[in-house]
Amino acid sequence: MTKARTNASASPAVGRNMVINGAMNVAQRATSVTGLGAASGYFTLDRWYIAEGDASAGRFTMSQTADGPNGISANCLKLDCTTADTSIAAGEALILRQRFEGQNVQRIGKGVAGAKQITVSFYVKANAAFTFGVELFDEDNARQITKLFATTTDWVRHELTFAADEDDGSSPFVDDNANSFILAFWLHGGATFTGGTLNTATFANNTNANRAAGIGSFFSSTDNNFFITGVQMEVGPVATEFEQEDISTTLAKCERYFEKTYNQGVNPATETPLGADSTGGVTGNNSTGEIGSRFSFRTTKRAAPTVVIYDLAGNTPKVTRGLYGTGTSANQTGAASSQSQNSVFINSASGDNASEFYVHFTADAEL
Amino acid sequence: MENNMNIASAQYVSDMDGNNSGVQATIDGQTMSVPLDPANRHYAEILRQVEAGTITIADAD
């Protein structure tokens, strides 16, 4: 006879953390990028997006850094201010955020009767004491809530519980693959976002001025840096211990949103044959005309992805055409098209006499 | 604040049957193959900027 478990609550469920790559272990695009601050985008650590507001003079370096809190993660995300901005225009903002598909946050039950509380926990430190904000933003219903936290020069775990939000009782997250929910760390903001009263007790319909009132500025000095890791978002009023995850699981989760042919640790556009795909070919079956093939992704994408192709030398959008017994030619015409969630067609319309081509690519289906 | 992509060019790509199968676009200085999927953030932004009148998508060659 099977004995029922009696200690289920002592061992929190696997998969309770809705944040992907919260331990900052996967950085497929790059491990460090300098001169950021002029535009929004995904630059280094997978799933972590830098959102910029109106033009700011502030600039920074974003990197994956091997300086995590012992026993939590060897890695953290670091932002290092390289150009200060002490004249803050109203529309400026610097936000580190992660977006969630609606189908991945149904467990919250938000917007209907029985909605659950949400607890966000994370480890953070900085060069000095700052006050920054954590915002939860319901993209489907334009509702938000923000709580403030303070940094010190040592790693500190913050545990913040946000009120359940039944809204009008009939506004659930849309159960699909689109963006429904955002976890955002506010690090800098102008009066457009800080000029009101912080909305911190309960979710409310969005008023921009109430999103980040009371935060300090990461751009106040080039002395400033900000470190974060061990980010977790779970349902309920309790911050459970940070959920450890093996690297293969984290990488597979990240690849739903971005994958590359290059080895991990090798940035896209690097000159290397390692990992490149090939059409394959037959000796004697060569042409200066079109060669093409459909290439499968390792992981099914959230949606049809944007594809960037590279030849073996790192040129884009190019392929390397190869002829058995003769050699290869880089910088040859190439194009990608007809993506599905599982594959992409890549062709080389013409070029040097060849029996096949080699190509690297990235596939981006981020939110 | 959510999307400020700099889209310098956009042109449809056609398949062997002559049907549009994607958009080749230069976004933030990089040439990308963008699928015709509204759930793709790059295509959604292209459509938004077309609607706003700031870009057009050229016909396929």
Side-chain angles (χ1 to χ4, degrees):
Chain A
M1 187 169 81
T2 303
K3 185 177 180 180
R5 287 185 65 186
T6 56
N7 62 339
S9 62
S11 181
V14 172
R16 64 191 184 281
N17 186 6
M18 288 175 271
V19 173
I20 296 174
N21 201 23
M24 310 299 179
N25 285 329
V26 177
Q28 295 190 87
R29 294 172 180 82
T31 54
S32 182
V33 177
T34 62
L36 298 177
S40 302
Y42 291 93
F43 300 109
T44 61
L45 286 143
D46 284 49
R47 306 268 27 244
W48 291 104
Y49 183 86
I50 294 292
E52 299 282 347
D54 290 348
S56 164
R59 295 291 181 270
F60 62 97
T61 296
M62 179 183 190
S63 60
Q64 180 192 45
T65 301
D67 184 23
N70 186 39
I72 300 302
S73 177
N75 295 306
C76 64
L77 183 158
K78 178 183 179 182
L79 303 180
D80 181 10
C81 180
T82 53
T83 303
D85 174 16
T86 55
S87 179
I88 306 173
E92 289 186 19
L94 173 62
I95 306 166
L96 173 68
R97 75 176 191 205
Q98 185 164 136
R99 283 175 156 175
F100 300 87
E101 296 177 52
Q103 59 195 0
N104 282 341
V105 289
Q106 293 297 315
R107 70 186 78 174
I108 298 170
K110 191 178 178 302
V112 296
K116 299 183 177 76
Q117 293 168 285
I118 303 164
T119 296
V120 176
S121 55
F122 51 94
Y123 293 80
V124 68
K125 68 177 182 177
N127 62 299
F130 292 98
T131 299
F132 294 129
V134 179
E135 178 185 48
L136 298 180
F137 196 102
D138 174 349
E139 188 78 4
D140 289 338
N141 302 290
R143 289 169 67 78
Q144 66 81 230
I145 184 171
T146 301
K147 291 187 179 296
L148 301 180
F149 65 94
T151 64
T152 72
T153 55
D154 295 319
W155 285 111
V156 172
R157 190 189 199 205
H158 293 275
E159 303 172 355
L160 305 173
T161 296
F162 296 80
D165 183 30
E166 297 186 0
D167 196 356
D168 60 2
S170 59
S171 301
F173 289 133
V174 179
D175 185 24
D176 64 10
N177 64 345
N179 171 38
S180 283
F181 203 42
I182 301 172
L183 168 62
F185 294 87
W186 280 83
L187 305 177
H188 170 86
T192 298
F193 307 106
T194 62
T197 301
L198 191 73
N199 179 53
T200 193
T202 61
F203 276 87
N205 292 337
N206 180 48
T207 298
N208 272 337
N210 298 342
R211 296 177 69 181
I215 69 167
S217 173
F218 170 75
F219 287 135
S220 64
S221 166
T222 55
D223 293 337
N224 295 348
N225 47 50
F226 174 82
F227 303 79
I228 188 169
T229 192
V231 184
Q232 182 154 289
M233 184 175 79
E234 56 196 312
V235 296
V238 177
T240 63
E241 66 182 60
F242 179 66
E243 182 180 355
Q244 298 293 330
E245 190 171 72
D246 64 274
I247 188 66
S248 60
T249 300
T250 303
L251 179 59
K253 288 180 179 179
C254 291
E255 285 187 337
R256 177 171 171 79
Y257 304 90
F258 183 91
E259 77 170 63
K260 62 181 180 181
T261 53
Y262 301 88
N263 282 336
Q264 298 301 307
V266 178
N267 292 347
T270 297
E271 180 175 0
T272 177
L274 297 178
D277 271 328
S278 166
T279 54
V282 178
T283 300
N285 186 9
N286 45 279
S287 167
T288 58
E290 181 165 5
I291 305 171
S293 184
R294 181 161 284 277
F295 297 90
S296 295
F297 305 132
R298 279 188 300 275
T299 303
T300 298
K301 294 288 164 288
R302 179 192 64 83
T306 298
V307 171
V308 178
I309 64 171
Y310 305 87
D311 69 12
L312 301 186
N315 301 303
T316 183
K318 301 292 182 181
V319 303
T320 294
R321 292 171 71 107
L323 180 63
Y324 287 124
T326 299
T328 60
S329 303
N331 214 23
Q332 302 287 299
T333 299
S337 62
S338 304
Q339 295 95 313
S340 70
Q341 287 177 272
N342 294 301
S343 65
V344 58
F345 179 75
I346 301 175
N347 75 322
S348 177
S350 63
D352 290 356
N353 192 28
S355 50
E356 63 179 331
F357 70 73
Y358 306 91
V359 65
H360 279 292
F361 63 80
T362 61
D364 182 339
E366 262 295 356
L367 287 163
Chain B
M1 185 170 68
E2 299 304 312
N3 289 296
N4 55 0
M5 299 176 194
N6 177 15
I7 302 176
S9 66
Q11 182 179 24
Y12 284 112
V13 176
S14 59
D15 61 20
M16 286 183 283
D17 296 323
N19 301 312
N20 289 336
S21 59
V23 176
Q24 180 152 308
T26 302
I27 301 175
D28 295 334
Q30 186 156 47
T31 302
M32 303 177 173
S33 173
V34 180
L36 304 179
D37 182 350
N40 177 286
R41 65 191 174 102
H42 296 109
Y43 187 57
E45 179 63 10
I46 288 171
L47 293 180
R48 190 190 71 77
Q49 294 196 22
V50 168
E51 179 71 17
T54 54
I55 64 168
T56 58
I57 307 175
D59 293 336
D61 289 331

